[in-house]
Amino acid sequence: MTTMTLNDTTLDVDAEGYLQKPEQWTPAIGEAIAREMGVTMTDRHWVVCNFMRERYLTTGSAPSIRSLGKESGVPIKELYELFPRGPAKYASRIAGIPKPHGCI
Amino acid sequence: MSRILILGAGTAGTIMANRLRRRFAKDVAAGKTSITVVDEDPRHIYQPGLLFVPFGVYRPDDIVRPRRMQLHEDVTYKPGAIEMVIPEDHAVLLKDGTRLPYDVLVVATGTRIAPEETEGMMGPEWHHAVFDFYTVEGATALARKLSTWRGGKLVVNVVEMPIKCPVAPLEFSFLADWYFTMRHMRDTVDITYATPLDGAFTRPIAAQHIGDLLDRKHIGLVTEFNAGRVDNERKVLVSWDGRELPFDVLVTIPLHQGAAYLKATPSLVDDNLFVRTNPATLQSTAFPDIFAIGDATNLPTSKAGSVAHFESEVLDDNIGHFLAGEPLEDGFDGHANCFVETGFDQALLLDFNYDTEPLPGRYPLPIGPMTLLGESRMNHMGKMAFKWVYWNLLLPGHTIPGIPARMSMRGKLAPATT
Ligand SMILES: Cc1cc2nc3c(=O)[nH]c(=O)nc-3n(C[C@H](O)[C@H](O)[C@H](O)COP(=O)(O)OP(=O)(O)OC[C@H]3O[C@@H](n4cnc5c(N)ncnc54)[C@H](O)[C@@H]3O)c2cc1C
């Protein structure tokens, strides 16, 4: 495992920059990761990231795109407008949870 | 009396039934242990062979055998569709009303393609210009189409990960290049490979090698393409972010899900209906008397027959431990071993696990005879021999000499650490 420093905090990350310890995350760190990836966070972005994080922490796995679309309150089309290059990948990185299994 | 119940008699379920029968041979013969397997389809399909059907290398008959014949005669085979698992009652209900109680349950119902989940996929062009090749029906329809096709735009698209055998759509593209070259019409066919990933493959070193191969074979690569719908009228595949890929033939690898009956037991599965499974013991994370194997699990390794085979060695031991009241072993390391057919009688070989990505080198010994991440004719011969190995060694549940369940670093070239 490698580490990365953001906002003066040392974070455990994998080779692609996904946080490996969700407890090291704060909203400010999420904000900083987003900035690094070129995403400007709005309330709608946060609805998605918070939903993903919540679901990961309660069930141990991130939701699929389809259930994000059905249950987060943000329809799939809008998910891709918010995160054009892949909502699951981008939102999970910003939400400070490991890369979703589906990406392996 | 111990009752072992296995759901699904595909690759994983068949291997498990035959292995457990051997483990408990005396008890099974004496009626002290029962092994029951349920499946709804009387045909056992050698799925790796589906790749070759569209190109006329195999006919459907070459890859299908009767399911019962693959199971030892002391295993009870129960044909029928599963309705639901009732973990609280330690029982499974079949569609015909039969109730099967168990002391230990193995979920091995694999994964199914769900083309209906993508808008327009199953529209008027389904099996006319839009094809899957993960089913016998799809692969056969595609073979018919390609044999008379005059050329045009061929798009190969993976809708969403995970899919089973993540290298199969790449192999399809390589074989298409070979097939149209042999038919002297390669210059009339434009092949594009479109993937939701950010490279040709999931892990970086292999993605680089495979990306180079696509390039050399003049196959276009479109990355981070998340297919949203198929426009049947205009024959274009449209991504969620509005990009369009026009096609004359679209070969799709549709969304994959676990078996539909698992919807009735939400505590057992994730959003895609894959069983939440302990990555090392293969036990369900929700119920101690339930285990999962093969494509049905949510584990972060490839969904491949080789994986089911390696898992079976661990699960065989752990079911023994479970029934004896002993602690389980953390035996599974995510080991996967996949041949990647690249056309013109060549293939690559990938060998990896949860922690080690596919690396270049030699396999299984430092002198080979196989080549890791490099094309060779020996690898191709290994791929073609896999059919015999599948029916005669894998399904009966034998260990394959020289190929242990745990991945080995022998022969691999580790990347320079940074
Ligand atoms: C085109 C292609 C190429 C491939 N190439 C390779 C390769 O080269 N190497 C490799 O190792 N792997 C390869 N694979 C993958 C391999 O075939 C699978 O990973 C393997 O078959 C998984 O085994 P399984 O038992 O988990 O699932 P399956 O073999 O699919 O078995 C699941 C079984 O469950 C049954 N079932 C499902 N739902 C129900 C229900 N409700 N009621 C009753 N029965 C049910 C089904 O009928 C089926 O028999 C390939 C797959 C494809 C499609």
Side-chain angles (χ1 to χ4, degrees), chain B residues 306-385:
Chain B
S306 62
V307 173
H309 164 75
F310 296 134
E311 287 173 335
S312 75
E313 297 191 18
V314 175
L315 189 52
D316 183 10
D317 287 342
N318 274 345
I319 286 179
H321 290 312
F322 179 79
L323 289 174
E326 298 161 3
L328 305 182
E329 281 170 52
D330 284 340
F332 187 58
D333 65 352
H335 189 189
N337 181 288
C338 304
F339 288 105
V340 186
E341 189 71 7
T342 55
F344 303 94
D345 293 347
Q346 301 281 313
L348 301 176
L349 179 59
L350 309 181
D351 192 61
F352 58 102
N353 68 12
Y354 292 140
D355 304 319
T356 308
E357 64 172 309
L359 297 171
R362 307 283 282 172
Y363 189 84
L365 301 171
I367 50 160
M370 313 280 184
T371 314
L372 292 171
L373 260 186
E375 284 191 285
S376 85
R377 192 177 152 78
M378 193 62 177
N379 292 343
H380 164 72
M381 287 162 67
K383 174 102 190 172
M384 299 318 276

Side-chain angles (χ1 to χ4, degrees), chain B residues 10-12 39-40 47-48 67 80 82 109 165 261 295 304-306 383:
Chain B
T11 313
D39 205 293
E40 62 187 351
Q47 296 180 44
R67 194 172 303 278
I82 300 152
T109 35
C165 199
Y261 73 87
D295 294 352
S306 62
K383 174 102 190 172

Side-chain angles (χ1 to χ4, degrees), chain B residues 13-77:
Chain B
T14 300
I15 298 176
M16 271 329 290
N18 290 332
R19 283 194 87 108
L20 289 166
R21 201 286 312 169
R22 204 170 301 122
R23 168 177 290 268
F24 297 112
K26 277 211 194 97
D27 289 350
V28 172
K32 279 197 244 157
T33 296
S34 68
I35 301 173
T36 306
V37 198
V38 185
D39 205 293
E40 62 187 351
D41 183 346
R43 308 167 302 171
H44 189 128
I45 297 153
Y46 170 65
Q47 296 180 44
L50 288 169
L51 170 67
F52 298 98
V53 171
F55 306 107
V57 177
Y58 291 147
R59 282 172 300 111
D61 286 356
D62 298 332
I63 60 169
V64 179
R65 293 191 182 181
R67 194 172 303 278
R68 179 67 184 100
M69 302 284 282
Q70 314 314 318
L71 295 159
H72 189 278
E73 57 181 16
D74 287 351
V75 170
T76 307
Y77 175 56

